[in-house]
Amino acid sequence: MFSDRLINKPQMHYQFGWFDWFCLWYPPGWLILFNRHWQHYHADPDGWNMVEYLLFLLPGGFYLALLLRWLRLGCRAPRETPQSIDPHYQFAFQQEILTPIVHRHFRAELHHLENLPETGRLIIAMNHAGMCFPWDLVSLGVLLTEARGWFPQPLAHEIFFDHPWLRWWLPVGWSEALGSVRAEPESFEAALQSQAENAVVLYAPEGWRGLAKGWRNRYQLATFDPSFVQLSDRYQIPILPVVCMGSENLHPWTVNIKRMARWLGLPMFPLSLLVVVFILFPSMGVWANRTHLRYFIQPLETPFRDRDWQPNRTTAYRKAQALRSHLQTLIDQLRSVVCNAAQSLP
């Protein structure tokens, strides 16, 4: 497996010390872990330093750390450092940072493994919720690496590549090095054109409509974009539907203030009681509430083999909405099972 080849590659692994364990336990420290890990494997002269990290941990300290870093860089933003997919760093970041978060904090688990193919070249289509950092997609990627040795490439909004605020939070080029794909048609298609045996793309057909739908509509799937069905037909790549339960609790009791999001140039602006804490600790932008992420893998879909398949957008749209309807039924059923199980507890 790919992961076996990587783990045998000689390199200096990131060693957790007491400060790292503290950061893993303390929500404002997650951003410190992400940046410190990057700096262990990459030269990052424009990155945060230890004094600034310590300020992250204090109420309002992030703003002082930001000012200190800006002055240290000569009153400019961090320089752009173009990056490409780095499989070795992907593996290191998953093993050393994401794995304890995914298993201990989000308690993520896969169900119906019998539906999971042995080889890749897949479009994985999953419902998307949470109103926060996309931990539902990230966690599924970690579980698939453990189960099959794949390194899925998640489609990510342009904000994770270009937004000036993110350049201060996360290392420049971080998303590209971890294999993220811009959520735009050209990049999506380029990722699927890969001839790699286990080329797997994680895709949320709801897009940001799903992530930003808020607590009230957390169990209701938004309209599916048909592009993934069209690309599945064009490159003869199967679709693996996955239902995620628990992502709705990543940032609970949230509403999306659309006008504020437009004013700030963001795809969403979540408002909840946690936002008060976030104002004091902006480094919590990559943190999410502890939940139980459960992924239910469904049988493969091969729309290009259907008898009534026609290679046009209308047919692709109908197929996408049929899949949406099927997943909505599964979500309703799983929600009912979970509710009944909770009511039966003493």
Side-chain angles (χ1 to χ4, degrees):
M1 292 173 66
F2 183 45
S3 57
D4 295 330
R5 298 199 300 272
L6 284 176
I7 202 168
N8 291 327
K9 181 180 176 65
Q11 55 184 305
M12 295 296 293
H13 296 294
Y14 186 83
Q15 298 295 327
F16 261 65
W18 70 266
F19 183 67
D20 301 286
W21 287 113
F22 174 78
C23 290
L24 188 65
W25 169 81
Y26 188 54
W30 284 24
L31 189 65
I32 297 176
L33 276 179
F34 285 14
N35 282 276
R36 274 170 56 85
H37 189 271
W38 174 268
Q39 291 167 347
H40 178 78
Y41 287 95
H42 301 84
D44 189 14
D46 284 2
W48 301 100
N49 63 29
M50 193 62 190
V51 172
E52 293 155 357
Y53 285 144
L54 293 175
L55 289 171
F56 283 19
L57 307 176
L58 305 176
F62 182 88
Y63 302 105
L64 178 57
L66 187 65
L67 175 61
L68 292 176
R69 185 183 178 192
W70 182 68
L71 292 173
R72 177 167 56 86
L73 296 182
C75 303
R76 61 168 175 81
R79 293 187 179 93
E80 292 187 20
T81 52
Q83 299 285 341
S84 57
I85 296 175
D86 184 350
H88 298 292
Y89 184 69
Q90 272 186 297
F91 180 75
F93 186 71
Q94 280 201 7
Q95 292 293 303
E96 297 164 0
I97 301 296
L98 292 182
T99 295
I101 291 176
V102 167
H103 287 290
R104 298 183 186 185
H105 190 77
F106 297 122
R107 297 173 290 169
E109 54 190 39
L110 288 177
H111 294 268
H112 306 318
L113 279 171
E114 66 276 7
N115 292 327
L116 189 63
E118 292 294 330
T119 57
R121 294 225 78 203
L122 297 170
I123 299 173
I124 299 178
M126 190 189 78
N127 58 306
H128 198 24
M131 293 284 284
C132 64
F133 190 82
W135 281 109
D136 49 355
L137 290 173
V138 171
S139 297
L140 178 58
V142 172
L143 296 181
L144 291 175
T145 300
E146 294 175 343
R148 291 291 185 266
W150 302 339
F151 278 87
Q153 294 182 259
L155 253 70
H157 194 278
E158 288 84 352
I159 186 177
F160 290 104
F161 301 91
D162 300 327
H163 201 285
W165 290 8
L166 266 293
R167 291 180 61 186
W168 287 100
W169 261 326
L170 296 166
V172 178
W174 186 75
S175 295
E176 292 91 334
L178 290 175
S180 299
V181 178
R182 289 178 180 268
E184 52 189 27
E186 297 80 8
S187 299
F188 190 4
E189 187 163 2
L192 293 178
Q193 286 177 323
S194 171
Q195 298 303 310
E197 178 183 354
N198 291 328
V200 178
V201 176
L202 279 178
Y203 179 64
E206 297 173 273
W208 277 91
R209 294 185 301 274
L211 191 63
K213 59 193 171 189
W215 178 258
R216 184 177 63 179
N217 297 315
R218 61 194 182 278
Y219 294 116
Q220 301 302 312
L221 295 180
T223 302
F224 279 15
D225 188 288
S227 59
F228 73 108
V229 179
Q230 292 176 294
L231 292 174
S232 168
D233 170 57
R234 186 174 305 165
Y235 296 103
Q236 303 290 287
I237 297 178
I239 297 169
L240 183 68
V242 175
V243 171
C244 177
M245 300 297 292
S247 59
E248 67 279 3
N249 291 314
L250 290 169
H251 189 172
W253 306 103
T254 312
V255 294
N256 183 23
I257 310 300
K258 296 180 180 179
R259 180 174 297 181
M260 182 66 72
R262 288 194 298 269
W263 183 67
L264 295 173
L266 298 172
M268 63 178 181
F269 186 86
L271 182 63
S272 74
L273 293 177
L274 281 176
V275 172
V276 178
V277 183
F278 174 74
I279 292 172
L280 295 175
F281 297 95
S283 61
M284 287 180 62
V286 296
W287 180 84
N289 184 51
R290 189 169 189 261
T291 185
H292 188 182
L293 294 176
R294 286 168 288 186
Y295 299 91
F296 298 87
I297 304 169
Q298 305 304 306
L300 282 176
E301 298 273 347
T302 52
F304 46 85
R305 293 177 182 167
D306 293 350
R307 292 182 179 179
D308 59 348
W309 176 255
Q310 297 292 329
N312 55 58
R313 185 174 178 82
T314 300
T315 305
Y317 179 84
R318 289 173 181 167
K319 181 63 180 179
Q321 303 323 310
L323 179 58
R324 172 187 173 274
S325 178
H326 174 60
L327 295 185
Q328 182 66 70
T329 300
L330 290 173
I331 289 173
D332 294 339
Q333 292 173 349
L334 290 168
R335 180 186 175 193
S336 177
V337 169
V338 170
C339 290
N340 291 335
Q343 291 173 359
S344 64
L345 292 176

